[in-house]
Amino acid sequence: MGHNYEAVFFDGEPDERLPEWHVVKWDNIKGGNKLGHKVAAFYQDDEAEAKALADLLNKNPIWIIVDDGDVFEGH
């Protein structure tokens, strides 16, 4: 059963921010559109970690507590 979490890569912007991975929770809104909410951020080299967290959140029907103590909803 999937729950709409996805690991997404964001390119950096010169002099503003570095490239990074986000785990995004997608919510369906009116008109068939989706709205994304960032639930976690990872360094640009942490693709595997971001994808692993998105997979866990999509599979786990309970709350998940990760190593640094952050809590994510895995409903």
Side-chain angles (χ1 to χ4, degrees):
M1 180 176 181
H3 293 285
N4 300 324
Y5 291 91
E6 179 182 14
V8 180
F9 185 74
F10 287 91
D11 291 323
E13 298 173 11
D15 298 323
E16 292 198 23
R17 70 177 197 171
L18 295 173
E20 60 187 0
W21 283 91
H22 293 175
V23 175
V24 177
K25 179 181 180 189
W26 296 103
D27 294 317
N28 293 318
I29 57 174
K30 292 181 181 181
N33 295 318
K34 295 190 308 183
L35 178 64
H37 303 278
K38 178 175 70 171
V39 297
F42 295 86
Y43 293 111
Q44 64 181 343
D45 296 333
D46 293 340
E47 176 181 4
E49 290 85 351
K51 288 182 176 181
L53 179 58
D55 287 342
L56 282 173
L57 289 168
N58 281 319
K59 293 176 186 173
N60 195 342
I62 61 173
W63 292 90
I64 297 171
I65 301 174
V66 293
D67 292 338
D68 62 1
D70 288 334
V71 179
F72 299 98
E73 178 186 45
H75 63 105

